[in-house]
Amino acid sequence: MAIFKGAGVALVTPMNEDETVNYDKLDELIEWHIAEGTDCIVICGTSGESATLSEEEHIATIRHCVETVNHRIPVVAGTGSNSTKTAIYLSTEAEKAGVDGLLVVTPYYNKATQSGLIRHYTEVSESVHTPIIMYNVPSRTGCNILPETAAYLGKNVKNIVAIKAASGNLSQIAKTKSLAGDALDIYSGNDDQVVPIMSLGGLGVISVLSNVAPGYTHEMCWKYLNGDTKGSCAMQLNAIDLIDSLFCEVNPIPVKVALNMMGKEVGPLRGPLYGMGSEADTERLRKSLIDFGIKVK
């Protein structure tokens, strides 16, 4: 059984002005997403600024999310690290909190070998019973899970069940699916490739776009899953300008700025990420939201 199908939101972590986690605002976001049809909450991932959360904040935010969602939709927690021991610790704590899945990014900066990745993911998986989604985003980590490695892990490690594919390389994703077959579910990790990846057998997306257009992203995925490929493709193409604007600077800077423009009041980013780097990018983002039909302040 898949952890989820459709649109999982790579949820931002709202902050107070003093940069502490704003749990009241987190509750508001979660309720909005559930009402809008979001299929899964992905908490404390890249978009949730996991890199600048302390371990205590990381675990507390996961626990709070699980309690607020209260089994209404699946919750997947980001628990990856460039330290295998830290990834194991975060994963075991997230499992205790009651998450439905774990999103484990490749070790970043270390640049593990393929055999090292197999050992890393195997050791993490052996520490928990919760299903694991591997997260492959080499542009951010400097580490690429090759198709052969992904397929091996999917076939040989019982609770490694899926991969969030954000390499941007559709040929690599196709080969991964070809080698892994039904042993590994695939989720798009790039909002501009949701429909192409679903055409290769993907089940949906772990999405930044869902932060600002949750109902739209859900509908785009489910049109495809229900057989309306033409309608889903039209929605994908219609969203390209907004998607491009959400990535005009490094994620999650634009998406958090966009949510504040929308009046969601998710607060500041933590350094070394700050606000938008240029007024031109800010205005581009604002225009894209308006053109998409999203109300902004």
Side-chain angles (χ1 to χ4, degrees), residues 93-143:
E93 290 299 315
E95 181 170 85
K96 291 176 189 175
V99 299
D100 300 283
L102 303 169
L103 181 65
V104 181
V105 71
T106 56
Y108 38 88
Y109 187 78
N110 308 55
K111 302 184 77 169
T113 63
Q114 296 302 300
S115 61
L117 287 173
I118 289 172
R119 181 167 177 176
H120 172 79
Y121 277 108
T122 300
E123 289 184 7
V124 173
S125 71
E126 287 175 346
S127 72
V128 292
H129 300 287
T130 304
I132 291 172
I133 304 171
M134 299 180 290
Y135 180 13
N136 192 37
V137 58
S139 65
R140 293 191 80 119
T141 65
C143 184

Side-chain angles (χ1 to χ4, degrees), residues 172-231:
Q172 175 174 310
I173 295 165
K175 187 172 182 181
T176 298
K177 186 60 177 176
S178 174
L179 293 173
D182 293 335
L184 205 62
D185 294 330
I186 296 180
Y187 299 102
S188 175
N190 290 333
D191 285 307
D192 61 349
Q193 295 183 338
V194 180
V195 171
I197 288 173
M198 293 184 78
S199 77
L200 298 171
L203 297 183
V205 61
I206 296 176
S207 171
V208 173
L209 175 65
S210 282
N211 278 283
V212 300
Y216 186 97
T217 314
H218 164 84
E219 184 182 355
M220 178 175 69
C221 291
W222 279 97
K223 275 185 181 291
Y224 194 96
L225 291 168
N226 289 327
D228 184 3
T229 55
K230 185 175 181 180

Side-chain angles (χ1 to χ4, degrees), residues 4 6-14 26 29-30 32-33 38-50 65 74 76-78 103 135 140 164 188-191 205-214 217 246-247 251-253 255-256 259 266:
F4 75 95
V9 61
L11 193 66
V12 302
T13 300
L26 179 59
L29 291 177
I30 290 169
W32 179 53
H33 277 284
T38 293
D39 298 289
C40 176
I41 302 291
V42 181
I43 193 77
C44 293
T46 304
S47 300
E49 299 178 78
S50 57
C65 179
V76 171
L103 181 65
Y135 180 13
R140 293 191 80 119
K164 177 183 176 183
S188 175
N190 290 333
D191 285 307
V205 61
I206 296 176
S207 171
V208 173
L209 175 65
S210 282
N211 278 283
V212 300
T217 314
L246 288 170
F247 289 90
N251 179 55
I253 294 172
V255 71
K256 216 163 186 187
L259 284 164
V266 297

